């Protein structure tokens, strides 16, 4: 397991950086090492790294150039929710298309993780994210239903304005290794929570990815003008308002119940006498 | 008849059927036993007669005089000296000789057999599988091993100067356990011959067991305010239960929906979900929310769940959050829980009001008040009337809702509830 191996490493590092290099009796060293491991294990467990992503598709009707089998040109993609470079965590993405496409398994080796095709049909695309092996060796699969046709079927189809279907989600790594934390600590695409007090990370090692010739972020992506906005704030506000209403009504119900309980008590005493 | 004319079919077909049936019937009559008994055996004559019909009639030989006596007997297969009694068939006053007829089924080792075994053991270097193949009488590998080791142990004990000398010898310290070995090998072969489906089922059960031990560990850990390491306890206990098989699928994150374990408190529920999520190493926020919503609604019936969703819609909240960040999901989950509490309290209130009316009248007869309380249709159950539908009191505007959430709850609610309250006060 990644966790156990990294915690061993951390244990040793901890010794190297924070403790003075004086020889210690063996028994003591083992004890402190073990307690260090336990503390670090604990700490690493409370730290969850998350990467907000948006995945979906943009589809343009080809208008005059549309044929029966190629009526739309579409692009399916996975991007950082804030358009930052998710290549820091994701190594490659595999898009599994409908079997009617030639070579339906499309592999994208570097960001921006997108795939463009032309077609006429809507189908489910399986998007499998493969992370850098040293960060996570387990892939994650998302499912997106390709949308080509607008909701409002009655309106005229425009070849200038595309149909956009995007979905927001967060990739969560509940127990990241120390190396993981080091790699992403200040990266804009990754949410790293505040580390527990006293827990210090070694400085990051410069990470060079040989594949990176083009930039991985999607801030100036040609399709970025169509990207949807996902604001956490709006939804939080909505939820807070709803909760307030519910809580107010709950209080009301509780008052009513206690009132009735009181009435029952009175009636009981009356009937008993 | 006319139909047959029209169709042009031959007229005598019916009479032909009638003729063939009585023939078949007489063929079926069984000989010697009643028809019903014959039918029990299948209703058809057997292919080969099991017993010669002649044998059935003439059994007792005339020259022999048969009597039966109640006599004691012993069993050579037994080690204790047990004397039992049974009926014995005496022919012409002479009781039968020989050992108890079932004694031969005891697995006795003769000196000859044992010598053969030891010879083979020497020539084949204690390779019992080969020895078992070469052994003249059919004995299982476990039986041979058992005999060899017990004889070897006996010899060792006999030749040792004192019992203490040999107590450390593996033959004495770890004696061969036949039943255990047979069982172990049987279990091994079962695991080996498992079908893929069985493997999958086993993996699911083990994963479920892991989750349960997880939740227990975490619950205990939460009490002791110390987080234990989850991964070690699970596999160990699972391995003790069954022979370890690495059957968990290594393919892309298989997040199969597993039914929520029904615990006593909500916190343990959540903790077990969190623990199982941690085991996944990577997961999607929407998946986590889904699991937690399922767990939270595990104690509620389908109708209650639908009502929760209805309430969410009335409140203008997406059933699945549009921006499911960690914070949003947490809020969403809390909201769902609060709505569940709300619905339960509502029900409680209804019951209490019904109780109240029975107190007042002293009977369960219908009073003008109570039926109206309880006869709420689905529509009247609405707690939060969305802005748009509520005519009169407030002209619904989305902004207003956002600006002053508190106010909204007061205006429509009393209006909705007022008739109820009056009724209660009236009585």
């Amino acid at each position: 397991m990644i966790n156990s191996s990294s915690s061993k490493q951390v244990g040793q590092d901890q010794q190297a950086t924070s403790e003075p290099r004086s020889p210690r009796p063996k028994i003591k060293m083992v004890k402190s090492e073990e307690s260090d491991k336990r503390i670090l294990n604990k700490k690493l467990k409370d730290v969850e790294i998350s990467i907000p992503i948006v995945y979906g598709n943009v589809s343009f009707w080809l208008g005059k150039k549309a044929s029966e089998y190629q009526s739309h040109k579409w692009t399916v993609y996975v991007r950082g929710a804030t358009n930052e470079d998710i290549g820091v965590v994701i190594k490659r993405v595999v898009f599994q298309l409908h079997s009617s496409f030639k070579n339906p398994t499309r592999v994208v080796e570097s960001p921006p993780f997108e795939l463009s095709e032309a077609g006429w049909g809507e189908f489910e695309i399986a998007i499998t994210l493969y992370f850098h092996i040293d960060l996570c060796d387990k892939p994650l699969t998302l499912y997106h239903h390709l949308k080509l046709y607008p909701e409002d079927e009655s309106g005229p189809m425009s070849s200038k304005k595309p149909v956009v279907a995007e979905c927001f989600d967060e990739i969560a790594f509940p127990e990241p290794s120390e190396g993981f934390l080091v790699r992403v600590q200040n990266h804009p695409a990754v949410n790293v929570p505040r580390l527990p007090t006293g827990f210090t990370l070694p400085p990051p090692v410069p990470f060079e990815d040989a594949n990176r010739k083009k930039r991985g972020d999607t801030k100036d992506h040609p399709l970025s003008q169509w990207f949807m906005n996902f604001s956490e704030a709006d939804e939080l506000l909505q939820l807070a308002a709803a909760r307030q209403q519910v809580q107010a009504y709950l209080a009301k119900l509780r008052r009513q119940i206690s009132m009735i309980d009181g009435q029952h008590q009175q009636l009981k005493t009356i009937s008993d006498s | 008849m006319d139909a047959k004319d029209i169709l042009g079919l031959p007229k005598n077909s019916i009479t032909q059927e009638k003729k063939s049936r009585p023939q078949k019937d007489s063929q079926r009559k069984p000989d010697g036993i009643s028809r019903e008994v014959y039918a029990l055996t299948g209703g058809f004559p057997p292919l080969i007669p099991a017993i010669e019909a002649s044998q059935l009639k003439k059994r007792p030989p005339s020259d022999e005089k048969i009597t039966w006596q109640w006599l004691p007997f012993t069993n050579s297969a037994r080690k204790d000296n047990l004397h039992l009694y049974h009926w014995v068939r005496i022919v012409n006053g002479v009781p039968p000789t020989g050992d108890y007829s079932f004694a031969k089924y005891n697995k006795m080792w003769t000196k000859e057999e044992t010598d053969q075994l030891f010879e083979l053991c020497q020539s084949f270097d204690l390779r019992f599988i080969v020895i078992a193949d070469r052994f003249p009488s059919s004995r299982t590998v476990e039986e041979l091993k058992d005999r060899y080791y017990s004889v070897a142990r006996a010899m060792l004990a006999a030749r040792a100067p004192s019992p203490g000398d040999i107590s450390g010898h593996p033959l004495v310290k770890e004696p061969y356990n036949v039943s255990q070995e047979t069982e172990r090998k049987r279990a091994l072969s079962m695991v080996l011959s498992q079908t893929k489906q069985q493997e999958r089922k086993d993996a699911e059960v083990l994963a479920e067991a892991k989750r349960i031990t997880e939740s227990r560990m975490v619950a205990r850990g939460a009490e002791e305010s110390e987080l234990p390491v989850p991964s070690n306890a699970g596999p160990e206990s699972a391995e003790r239960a069954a022979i370890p098989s690495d059957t968990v699928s290594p393919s892309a994150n298989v997040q199969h929906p597993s039914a929520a374990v029904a615990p006593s408190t909500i916190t343990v529920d959540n903790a077990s979900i969190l623990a199982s999520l941690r085991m996944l190493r990577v997961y999607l926020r929407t998946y986590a929310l889904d699991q937690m919503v399922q767990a939270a609604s595990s104690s509620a019936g389908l109708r209650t769940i639908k009502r929760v969703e209805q309430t969410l819609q009335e409140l203008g909240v997406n059933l699945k959050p549009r921006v499911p960040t960690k914070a949003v999901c947490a809020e969403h989950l809390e909201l769902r829980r609060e709505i569940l509490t709300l619905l339960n309290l509502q029900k409680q209130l209804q019951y209490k009001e019904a109780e109240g009316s029975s107190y007042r009248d002293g009977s369960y007869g219908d009073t003008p008040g109570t039926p109206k309380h309880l006869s709420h249709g689905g529509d009247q159950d609405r707690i939060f009337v969305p802005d748009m539908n509520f005519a009169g009191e407030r002209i619904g505007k989305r902004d207003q809702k956002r600006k002053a959430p508190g106010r909204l709850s007061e205006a429509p609610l009393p209006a909705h509830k007022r008739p109820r309250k009056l009724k209660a006060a009236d009585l």
Side-chain angles (χ1 to χ4, degrees):
Chain A
M1 272 250 297
I2 295 177
N3 199 29
S4 52
S5 62
S6 67
S7 63
K8 272 192 211 151
Q9 191 190 38
V10 164
Q12 287 168 12
D13 278 346
Q14 194 76 342
Q15 296 267 305
T17 53
S18 55
E19 254 100 62
R21 294 200 197 118
S22 55
R24 254 179 253 183
K26 255 198 173 176
I27 305 160
K28 240 191 170 179
M29 225 169 92
V30 168
K31 266 197 178 163
S32 67
E33 213 177 78
E34 278 191 14
S35 64
D36 276 345
K37 269 192 206 167
R38 240 183 282 129
I39 294 167
L40 284 160
N41 255 339
K42 233 194 208 179
K43 289 187 173 177
L44 284 178
K45 266 189 209 154
D46 296 335
V47 176
E48 185 193 81
I49 286 180
S50 63
I51 297 141
I53 54 161
V54 172
Y55 61 95
N57 75 275
V58 168
S59 150
F60 284 94
W61 179 50
L62 289 172
K64 281 187 279 185
K65 298 185 199 154
S67 71
E68 194 185 342
Y69 291 107
Q70 301 214 326
S71 56
H72 290 73
K73 184 167 191 303
W74 49 264
T75 308
V76 63
Y77 53 85
V78 184
R79 62 177 176 91
T82 48
N83 289 316
E84 297 290 348
D85 180 13
I86 50 176
V88 62
V89 174
I90 301 177
K91 181 164 166 64
R92 85 177 105 91
V93 176
V94 176
F95 297 92
Q96 185 68 32
L97 305 179
H98 190 267
S99 47
S100 58
F101 280 87
K102 206 165 139 189
N103 301 327
T105 312
R106 307 285 172 91
V107 183
V108 181
E109 296 282 0
S110 65
F113 299 108
E114 63 182 78
L115 174 74
S116 297
E117 258 292 352
W120 58 270
E122 298 183 335
F123 54 89
E124 190 180 74
I125 302 177
I127 307 171
T128 310
L129 312 175
Y130 290 87
F131 307 101
H132 294 288
I133 293 288
D134 54 344
L135 302 180
C136 178
D137 59 357
K138 239 183 168 184
L140 188 63
T141 307
L142 317 160
Y143 297 93
H144 173 67
H145 187 84
L146 183 70
K147 192 167 194 296
L148 304 179
Y149 304 97
E151 286 289 337
D152 181 17
E153 288 169 23
S154 57
M157 293 224 277
S158 153
S159 56
K160 300 269 163 64
K161 207 161 166 240
V163 168
V164 182
E166 281 190 329
C167 192
F168 178 99
D169 214 325
E170 277 191 342
I171 306 173
F173 296 93
E175 288 176 346
S177 64
E178 197 199 57
F180 198 151
L181 283 165
V182 164
R183 185 88 62 80
V184 302
Q185 44 185 332
N186 290 316
H187 198 283
V190 183
N191 290 337
V192 180
R194 208 178 311 137
L195 299 173
T197 48
F199 188 76
T200 49
L201 287 175
V205 176
F207 175 66
E208 284 301 320
D209 194 350
N211 284 339
R212 298 300 200 77
K213 289 167 198 153
K214 48 183 174 151
R215 54 194 278 195
D217 67 285
T218 45
K219 291 193 200 137
D220 292 327
H221 194 275
L223 293 172
S224 59
Q225 58 176 308
W226 308 115
F227 290 164
M228 287 160 73
N229 242 332
F230 290 92
S231 159
E232 182 189 35
D234 279 346
E235 194 134 30
L236 278 175
L237 213 63
Q238 190 189 56
L239 285 168
R243 281 188 72 184
Q244 249 193 328
Q245 281 195 55
V246 172
Q247 280 159 12
Y249 193 40
L250 266 172
K252 203 172 203 125
L253 277 180
R254 289 197 175 106
R255 280 200 299 274
Q256 284 183 313
I257 285 177
S258 63
M259 205 167 68
I260 288 196
D261 278 342
Q263 285 179 351
H264 287 181
Q265 272 302 96
Q266 281 185 348
L267 289 167
K268 253 199 127 181
T269 50
I270 290 169
S271 65
D272 285 346
S273 62
Chain B
M1 280 292 127
D2 299 314
K4 287 237 152 92
D5 270 335
I6 296 164
L7 291 170
L9 289 172
K11 283 190 189 171
N12 39 8
S13 54
I14 300 169
T15 47
Q16 272 183 351
E17 273 179 57
K18 278 198 179 144
K19 263 193 201 162
S20 57
R21 244 188 262 133
Q23 268 191 354
K24 259 188 125 185
D25 243 25
S26 57
Q27 268 181 0
R28 279 184 173 179
K29 221 194 293 176
D31 217 20
I33 49 175
S34 72
R35 189 183 305 233
E36 287 78 20
V37 177
Y38 192 58
L40 284 175
T41 60
F44 294 107
L47 298 166
I48 307 162
I51 305 166
E52 285 293 312
S54 48
Q55 282 226 350
L56 287 168
K57 291 269 174 161
K58 64 158 185 174
R59 256 313 170 73
S62 40
D63 53 345
E64 290 178 3
K65 217 162 71 166
I66 309 291
T67 50
W68 287 84
Q69 273 187 33
W70 184 251
L71 294 174
F73 70 97
T74 50
N75 187 352
S76 59
R78 288 191 76 98
K79 303 223 169 77
D80 55 4
N81 233 323
L82 181 65
H83 293 275
L84 291 173
Y85 290 79
H86 64 185
W87 286 106
V88 180
R89 190 174 182 263
I90 309 282
V91 184
N92 290 340
V94 179
T97 53
D99 200 5
Y100 180 53
S101 58
F102 294 106
K104 67 174 189 266
Y105 294 111
N106 195 34
K107 292 172 179 177
M108 286 277 292
W109 277 92
T110 61
K111 183 166 185 335
E112 200 189 314
E113 262 194 302
T114 313
D115 285 339
Q116 281 176 332
L117 171 65
F118 270 75
E119 240 183 66
L120 286 171
C121 283
Q122 179 165 51
S123 52
F124 287 112
D125 213 24
L126 285 190
R127 288 177 207 196
F128 284 100
I129 307 225
V130 181
I131 294 167
D133 275 343
R134 311 269 165 151
F135 206 72
S137 49
S138 64
R139 295 266 189 179
T140 66
V141 174
E142 288 79 38
E143 282 176 5
L144 297 173
K145 278 189 177 177
D146 187 36
R147 182 63 180 161
Y148 172 78
Y149 289 125
S150 39
V151 169
R153 201 177 337 124
M155 282 171 39
L156 195 66
R159 292 172 185 172
S162 77
D165 284 342
I166 54 163
S167 58
H169 196 283
L171 269 174
V172 176
K173 221 163 81 168
E174 283 140 31
Y176 184 75
N177 189 337
V178 191
S179 47
Q180 200 181 63
E181 280 297 295
T182 341
E183 188 52 39
R184 181 182 69 85
K185 289 191 183 173
R186 190 188 65 83
L188 251 180
S189 70
M190 260 181 45
V191 174
L192 184 65
S193 57
Q194 261 185 345
T195 63
K196 231 186 199 148
Q197 194 181 26
Q198 276 178 308
E199 243 182 73
R200 245 185 292 130
K201 272 196 197 151
D202 277 352
E204 276 177 33
V205 170
L206 285 173
E208 188 65 47
K210 227 186 224 183
R211 268 233 286 138
I212 295 171
T213 50
E214 281 292 311
S215 66
R216 290 207 189 127
M217 291 280 295
V218 179
R220 237 188 298 133
E223 285 168 17
E224 298 164 15
S225 67
E226 185 203 337
L227 289 170
V229 183
S231 49
N232 291 341
E236 275 170 15
S237 54
E239 274 166 30
R240 256 184 274 126
I243 293 158
S245 46
D246 210 346
T247 52
V248 181
S249 164
S251 64
N253 217 342
V254 177
Q255 298 175 345
H256 50 261
S258 40
V261 187
S264 46
T265 57
I266 294 177
T267 43
V268 177
D269 229 346
N270 223 26
S272 76
I273 301 282
L274 284 173
S276 67
L277 284 173
R278 260 188 244 125
M279 298 291 290
L280 287 174
R281 277 184 265 163
V282 60
Y283 59 85
L284 280 175
R285 189 73 62 204
T286 47
Y287 169 77
L289 178 64
D290 214 29
Q291 293 285 295
M292 298 211 238
V293 167
Q294 262 188 45
S297 353
S298 60
S299 53
L302 196 63
R303 213 189 319 159
T304 323
I305 298 170
K306 287 262 186 278
R307 290 189 67 197
V308 170
E309 295 185 347
Q310 193 184 28
T311 316
L312 281 170
Q313 282 175 333
E314 288 168 21
L315 288 162
V317 170
N318 300 315
L319 284 179
K320 291 199 179 216
R322 194 171 159 267
V323 190
T325 61
K326 194 168 183 175
V328 167
C329 290
E331 284 290 299
H332 186 98
L333 202 63
E334 277 312 305
L335 180 61
R336 275 188 185 248
R337 290 205 184 111
E338 282 168 1
I339 294 175
L340 211 62
T341 315
L342 186 71
L343 293 173
N344 289 335
L345 269 187
Q346 247 197 331
K347 223 188 279 184
Q348 228 184 60
L349 185 62
Q350 279 180 348
Y351 288 154
K352 285 197 187 271
E353 284 179 341
E355 262 180 13
S357 60
S358 74
Y359 271 136
R360 274 182 274 272
D361 313 319
S363 69
Y364 295 106
D366 47 17
T367 26
T370 41
K372 285 202 179 130
H373 287 260
L374 301 173
S375 68
H376 281 300
D379 216 40
Q380 282 172 299
D381 273 338
R382 285 177 139 206
I383 309 163
F384 305 104
V385 185
D387 282 341
M388 279 61 81
N389 295 357
F390 197 82
E393 289 289 309
R394 252 189 205 283
I395 300 162
K397 271 189 193 172
R398 279 236 177 101
D399 301 324
Q400 270 191 312
K401 190 176 182 180
R402 246 190 234 150
K403 276 185 208 165
R407 281 204 284 154
L408 181 68
S409 64
E410 277 171 31
L413 288 174
H416 179 64
K417 293 291 168 195
R418 212 177 288 134
R420 241 202 211 179
K421 266 191 175 171
L422 279 171
K423 291 287 174 199
D426 274 348
L427 294 167

